Amino acid sequence: MRGSAAEEYLMSRGLAPDSIRSFQLGYVADSMPGHEPYAGRLAIPYLSPDRVTLQIRFRRIGDGDGAKYLSVPGDTPRPFNTRALELDSPIMCVCEGEIDAITATQAGLPAIAIPGVSAWRKEWALALHQYDHVFVLADNDDKGQGKKLGETIAKHSDNVRIVPMPEGYDVNSFVQEHGAEPLLAKVGINDE
């Protein structure tokens, strides 16, 4: 990963080297036979709480051609960063994308990600019932998908509050421009 296009991309998104290592993010420099579509992509492992890789999603770096995300055929959608669900916390944040969840985690918030509103499964709400508050950190940079994800989750749990990012922002771009403190303030966490 060092010196790769993925490292440069992740650093440009404000992810700290410790976060990159902790989430075991990687880069597919050379693909194995049959995996050619993943070459040149960021590899995002979905780790179990005991750090076993359950699946890997592959993200296009930058605004190039092709699908933004690819998964291995047959992979079942699942939440990203489920190890956050084992933290002793009264709150949990839910983001629409992995980089947003990593950014929220880096800012000091426990966070998972759902890989898009269509991936949501109602049985996942059971994992969210244990929290006093679930904050859906809703992207506001795409056709309302972040808000739609929040509304979908709220149908299955009564402890959900949708926290929209300002127009044109997702969690990552908001923190990059404004810092972590305003994100913490959006969910009511202050250092006072």
Side-chain angles (χ1 to χ4, degrees):
M1 168 90 135
R2 286 187 182 239
S4 71
E7 181 183 43
E8 183 179 319
Y9 170 74
L10 293 169
M11 299 295 273
S12 77
R13 298 287 303 264
L15 298 188
D18 286 347
S19 293
I20 295 168
R21 276 189 299 280
S22 175
F23 284 92
Q24 300 180 15
L25 302 177
Y27 177 68
V28 182
D30 296 312
S31 60
M32 296 175 13
H35 290 232
E36 290 83 4
Y38 311 122
R41 288 180 174 262
L42 173 65
I44 304 170
Y46 277 54
L47 304 170
S48 70
D50 56 355
R51 306 188 63 76
V52 172
T53 300
L54 302 172
Q55 74 183 58
I56 300 175
R57 286 186 77 210
F58 302 90
R59 188 189 194 290
R60 182 182 68 221
I61 296 172
D63 298 322
D65 294 333
K68 187 174 184 177
Y69 285 96
L70 295 175
S71 295
V72 175
D75 274 352
T76 303
R78 67 184 73 235
F80 172 77
N81 194 30
T82 55
R83 60 189 167 158
L85 298 171
E86 293 195 340
L87 298 173
D88 183 19
S89 174
I91 70 164
M92 180 56 60
C93 296
V94 180
C95 301
E96 190 181 347
E98 299 94 348
I99 290 177
D100 288 336
I102 296 169
T103 300
T105 300
Q106 196 171 272
L109 295 169
I112 63 170
I114 305 301
V117 67
S118 63
W120 174 257
R121 303 293 181 261
K122 64 182 178 185
E123 57 271 16
W124 296 347
L126 296 173
L128 300 177
H129 289 289
Q130 65 183 312
Y131 301 101
D132 295 339
H133 304 285
V134 174
F135 300 101
V136 177
L137 305 178
D139 292 359
N140 200 355
D141 63 350
D142 57 10
K143 305 175 183 129
Q145 294 300 301
K147 183 178 178 196
K148 191 179 290 184
L149 176 63
E151 291 168 348
T152 300
I153 295 171
K155 289 178 190 174
H156 305 285
S157 191
D158 60 0
N159 58 348
V160 174
R161 187 174 123 217
I162 300 170
V163 180
M165 296 298 109
E167 187 172 339
Y169 289 88
D170 61 13
V171 174
N172 179 262
S173 61
F174 179 77
V175 169
Q176 279 193 75
E177 187 165 323
H178 302 286
E181 292 77 18
L183 180 65
L184 298 175
K186 280 185 162 294
V187 298
I189 297 175
N190 315 27
D191 289 331
E192 301 179 289

